Amino acid sequence: LPDPSFDAATTMKLTAVAVCLALSSASAFTLHRPRALAPRTSALRSTQGDTVTGVKFEEEDEKKNPEKRPGHQVKGMAEIDPETAAKQQLIRDHQQACPRLSWPEEIRTIMSQPKAFATLSTLRDDGFPLGSIVGFAVDAEGSPIFCFSGMSAHTKNILKDKRASLCVTETSFQGAADARTTFVGTMKTLSGDECQEARDTYVKSHPNAYWAQFGDFNMFKLAEVKEISFVGGFARAGGIGFDEYTAAEVDPCAAFAEPVMAHMNDDHAKSLEQYLGLIPGLETTDVERVEMKRLDRFGFDVRVLPNGGVLRIPFDEEVTERKGIKNAIVALSQKCAAMEDKA
């Protein structure tokens, strides 16, 4: 929501932009996959028209939505004037056309982050869930693995009831506009060679976890995954199958995305703001700062402050190497300069 210190006119503008950002992917439930990749997930369709007054999204595949959870409904929004509505539609059209990672790729990339921590939920003796912040890594097939002390409450819970869930967020997570995924399955206590292999993998991902070699720490794996749910931001929610997840690959740009984003945010914040000019219909007069929050081979996502909305800036072509990322960003700057010359 806009800062209450803004005047009424500015607040109205920011609110309109925030609504537009939230709905920019509202009808984009047909996943935007790279052309070279065969679709692996079913399309998520709206059961109503894409309007600001009542939008409902549901995952119709019961295997991916066994609980038959309903989708979002957007109601009660103030009436928007035709000019603003037309601009919002331009933004939505642009954002829906942006190439993105498939959901399995995006989830696999989120799960592969190094030094990762997430929320593990286990069941206590009285049936109530216990949430614990735990470190994790993933094995070759992408299954989450853990190193737990026998004294931990979650370890004791697992040994009595193996049912658990793990909620993992993207590294830049700040709120509802950001991606998160939840795995539901049963925990397996590892032993022998499987245990040692998992321990080595965990320490490689958490190089400072010297305690992983302690005798009272054992390795566990979230196995028999029954559900993988995913929320990629506003109006991007559903699920995939475990086989789809394991068949996907980590985005190649993940290996160098963090330093590239840090460099852009620290040294080229003004350029990031200029890139918003490439999105038709978007007004940037009230924008205070733009931050790059996610980078992949098809482009990057930016967080627009102060309202916190997230927008997609696509590259002209797929990029898989760090040098190529630099060239792609330079090409965006050249586009902006050409637009300014025409203006």
Side-chain angles (χ1 to χ4, degrees), residues 153-171:
H154 49 263
T155 305
K156 295 176 181 178
N157 291 342
I158 290 167
L159 296 177
K160 295 179 181 178
D161 190 328
K162 299 184 183 301
R163 292 177 295 174
S165 69
L166 183 72
C167 182
V168 185
T169 65
E170 63 173 307
T171 56

Side-chain angles (χ1 to χ4, degrees), residues 14-26:
L14 289 177
T15 300
V17 172
V19 169
C20 188
L21 299 185
L23 296 177
S24 62
S25 56

Side-chain angles (χ1 to χ4, degrees), residues 222-283:
L222 187 62
E224 299 179 22
V225 175
K226 300 181 181 300
E227 178 182 338
I228 301 177
S229 60
F230 176 67
V231 179
F234 290 110
R236 295 182 67 220
I240 65 170
F242 188 69
D243 56 339
E244 297 173 286
Y245 167 74
T246 58
E249 296 183 358
V250 176
D251 182 73
C253 295
F256 49 79
E258 290 298 329
V260 170
M261 290 191 294
H263 171 67
M264 291 300 297
N265 290 332
D266 292 342
D267 300 331
H268 301 284
K270 193 63 179 177
S271 294
L272 292 175
E273 184 175 338
Q274 290 175 336
Y275 298 154
L276 294 183
L278 299 173
I279 302 177
L282 185 65
E283 294 184 2

Side-chain angles (χ1 to χ4, degrees), residues 2-16 286:
D3 190 315
S5 64
F6 290 130
D7 59 36
T10 301
T11 298
M12 183 174 294
K13 288 181 180 179
L14 289 177
T15 300
D286 297 316

Side-chain angles (χ1 to χ4, degrees), residues 1-303:
L1 292 177
D3 190 315
S5 64
F6 290 130
D7 59 36
T10 301
T11 298
M12 183 174 294
K13 288 181 180 179
L14 289 177
T15 300
V17 172
V19 169
C20 188
L21 299 185
L23 296 177
S24 62
S25 56
S27 61
F29 274 101
T30 299
L31 305 184
H32 298 289
R33 307 172 192 284
R35 288 186 295 273
L37 296 177
R40 297 195 186 103
T41 63
S42 63
L44 303 181
R45 298 186 297 275
S46 170
T47 58
Q48 301 180 19
D50 180 16
T51 67
V52 250
T53 56
V55 180
K56 185 175 182 180
F57 302 98
E58 293 181 353
E59 169 56 83
E60 297 179 351
D61 188 337
E62 291 188 7
K63 291 182 179 179
K64 298 176 183 178
N65 186 13
E67 304 299 326
K68 298 182 179 179
R69 293 173 297 192
H72 295 297
Q73 289 189 353
V74 183
K75 294 182 177 180
M77 300 298 294
E79 185 175 351
I80 299 175
D81 65 88
E83 182 181 357
T84 300
K87 291 179 179 179
Q88 290 183 351
Q89 188 60 53
L90 285 173
I91 298 173
R92 281 197 295 271
D93 290 344
H94 176 273
Q95 293 294 286
Q96 291 162 17
C98 291
R100 302 173 187 267
L101 300 179
S102 67
W103 283 15
E105 288 180 306
E106 192 166 346
I107 296 171
R108 193 68 189 260
T109 302
I110 291 173
M111 294 296 293
S112 73
Q113 57 185 281
K115 302 179 182 179
F117 282 80
T119 301
L120 177 74
S121 295
T122 57
L123 294 173
R124 307 190 316 178
D125 288 339
D126 57 9
F128 284 91
L130 172 72
S132 307
I133 303 298
V134 300
F136 78 94
V138 292
D139 62 15
E141 70 171 0
S143 295
I145 54 176
F146 313 87
C147 186
F148 292 153
S149 166
M151 296 186 293
S152 299
H154 49 263
T155 305
K156 295 176 181 178
N157 291 342
I158 290 167
L159 296 177
K160 295 179 181 178
D161 190 328
K162 299 184 183 301
R163 292 177 295 174
S165 69
L166 183 72
C167 182
V168 185
T169 65
E170 63 173 307
T171 56
S172 61
F173 186 88
Q174 292 187 14
D178 301 317
R180 58 272 198 195
T181 183
T182 301
F183 283 52
V184 178
T186 57
M187 296 292 281
K188 175 184 177 182
T189 305
L190 304 182
S191 60
D193 292 342
E194 187 179 19
C195 177
Q196 187 57 51
E197 183 177 352
R199 195 184 305 272
D200 293 341
T201 299
Y202 185 89
V203 172
K204 184 177 180 180
S205 182
H206 295 266
N208 295 326
Y210 58 89
W211 40 262
Q213 307 297 338
F214 290 179
D216 63 330
F217 278 76
N218 203 356
M219 300 303 300
F220 296 83
K221 173 181 177 178
L222 187 62
E224 299 179 22
V225 175
K226 300 181 181 300
E227 178 182 338
I228 301 177
S229 60
F230 176 67
V231 179
F234 290 110
R236 295 182 67 220
I240 65 170
F242 188 69
D243 56 339
E244 297 173 286
Y245 167 74
T246 58
E249 296 183 358
V250 176
D251 182 73
C253 295
F256 49 79
E258 290 298 329
V260 170
M261 290 191 294
H263 171 67
M264 291 300 297
N265 290 332
D266 292 342
D267 300 331
H268 301 284
K270 193 63 179 177
S271 294
L272 292 175
E273 184 175 338
Q274 290 175 336
Y275 298 154
L276 294 183
L278 299 173
I279 302 177
L282 185 65
E283 294 184 2
T284 61
T285 53
D286 297 316
V287 171
E288 293 182 0
R289 179 174 171 81
V290 178
E291 297 176 349
M292 187 182 290
K293 66 175 287 287
R294 183 189 303 160
L295 172 70
D296 58 61
R297 66 184 186 276
F298 298 111
F300 54 89
D301 293 351
V302 294
R303 194 185 310 280

